[in-house]
Amino acid sequence: MRLVLLGPPGAGKGTQARRIVERFGIPQLSTGVMLRAAVAAGTSIGKQAQAVMERGELVPDELVTGIIAERIEQADARSGFILDGFPRTVAQAIALDLELNTTKLALDAAIELQVDIAALTKRMSQRVAEAQARGEAVRPDDNPATFQVRLETYRAQTAPVAEFYAGKGILKTIDGMQSIDKVSDGIFLRLS
Ligand code: AMP
């Protein structure tokens, strides 16, 4: 099963991706996680990405499409994967299609978590407060000002990706404002 998970920041993509991993035994490929690891390790990709990420903007398409192309060729991704946080632009979606086409593969579905944008800022503040209460580090881009940039970036550059997959007939939309369990149930139902 080859899947893409779409939704604005704070929509619960990470949580749902982990449940999909458990259900289908496929790896979760998250460009945000990979980029944060590259920043922490001080690699050349990390150095190029750090400031852009801290502003809440998108790193260049070539940078992430390269990372994903390499990652989906690895053995654990041969029988499937769930992409979380990628593609974030239509150019990335086209690059992914081309990459999959070279091995005669295609996506099975793009799942879009639809959420009330106004509620997301509150969710983000809660997520930060909970992490702080647990003594965990908070992401540098999880602050109110950067979060607004991330939301606007999603609206302008990533929302069209859902249209792109709708045009291909593989978009499955779920109400992401329901409980975590209900959202997962909705996803599994649409994939069965
Ligand atoms: P995330 O953890 O998915 O919220 O990603 C954190 C940040 O990493 C984003 O705000 C972007 O700056 C960058 N990023 C992650 N995935 C992508 C992508 N597919 N394209 C461009 N930038 C990305």
Side-chain angles (χ1 to χ4, degrees):
M1 179 101 63
R2 291 176 186 81
L3 306 172
V4 160
L5 192 53
L6 297 169
K13 292 190 299 295
T15 306
Q16 295 302 332
R18 283 189 290 280
R19 292 183 164 208
I20 293 169
V21 166
E22 276 170 32
R23 171 68 68 110
F24 297 107
I26 49 177
Q28 171 185 359
L29 312 185
S30 160
T31 39
V33 170
M34 293 176 203
L35 289 169
R36 279 188 289 282
V39 170
T43 64
S44 119
I45 286 181
K47 287 191 180 115
Q48 293 172 65
Q50 186 168 16
V52 182
M53 290 172 74
E54 281 174 7
R55 288 198 301 271
E57 296 166 6
L58 296 184
V59 306
D61 287 335
E62 313 78 63
L63 210 127
V64 275
T65 50
I67 297 179
I68 285 294
E70 252 179 49
R71 184 63 186 86
I72 61 180
E73 278 170 20
Q74 289 174 18
D76 67 332
R78 294 250 167 82
S79 57
F81 50 74
I82 167 97
L83 289 169
D84 157 25
F86 180 94
R88 263 181 156 95
T89 63
V90 171
Q92 290 177 20
I94 292 170
L96 174 63
D97 267 3
L98 291 175
E99 176 63 27
L100 290 171
N101 277 345
T102 59
T103 40
K104 303 228 176 332
L105 297 173
L107 291 173
D108 295 291
I111 302 155
E112 182 193 25
L113 301 181
Q114 277 195 335
V115 288
D116 169 11
I117 297 289
L120 290 179
T121 308
K122 204 170 148 218
R123 267 199 199 178
M124 186 275 307
S125 306
Q126 271 168 358
R127 187 167 78 181
V128 169
E130 283 163 15
Q132 281 171 331
R134 290 194 299 269
E136 290 169 14
V138 172
R139 282 171 48 167
D141 58 353
D142 264 352
N143 63 72
T146 312
F147 194 75
Q148 291 311 313
V149 178
R150 288 164 63 202
L151 283 177
E152 173 54 22
T153 303
Y154 184 85
R155 192 196 60 74
Q157 292 178 266
T158 310
V161 175
E163 294 306 312
F164 175 83
Y165 289 127
K168 288 180 166 288
I170 59 165
L171 183 71
K172 310 208 183 268
T173 301
I174 320 275
D175 173 6
M177 298 309 290
Q178 306 172 97
S179 69
I180 293 175
D181 285 343
K182 282 229 168 81
V183 174
S184 310
D185 289 347
I187 292 174
F188 297 146
L189 194 71
R190 281 167 182 77
L191 293 178
S192 61

